[in-house]
Amino acid sequence: MKTPPIDLTLLAKKDGGKYPAAHVAAVIRGQAGTPSHGSEDMPVWGPLFSSISQRHPAQVEQRVANLVAYIDTLQAK
């Protein structure tokens, strides 16, 4: 990878102790410019979720929400 990914366990710590759920969701959807996302090494999940959910928006959003919630559980305490 040309740009190393950030440590997902430190997102809250780097954001003043608050988990940036909206930003994480935007990155997952491909709506936030993040240098390490979009390559084969680190794909943007939104289009993949849309494809496997047969483009049902509610299913896509549920998958994004599930991933955002999971990443929240990884945060350093």
Side-chain angles (χ1 to χ4, degrees):
M1 298 178 77
K2 292 179 183 176
T3 304
I6 62 170
D7 184 342
L8 293 178
T9 66
L10 300 176
L11 295 175
K13 184 175 182 179
K14 290 181 178 182
D15 201 38
K18 185 175 185 304
Y19 176 61
H23 178 70
V24 172
V27 171
I28 291 168
R29 285 188 204 100
Q31 299 169 334
T34 305
S36 60
H37 282 263
S39 69
E40 288 181 20
D41 293 328
M42 184 65 71
V44 175
W45 290 99
L48 175 65
F49 288 163
S50 182
S51 176
I52 64 175
S53 298
Q54 299 176 354
R55 311 226 185 291
H56 289 98
Q59 288 181 9
V60 173
E61 286 308 307
Q62 185 61 59
R63 292 176 192 280
V64 170
N66 289 344
L67 188 51
V68 169
Y70 171 72
I71 294 170
D72 188 16
T73 68
L74 302 176
Q75 298 311 292
K77 304 294 179 208

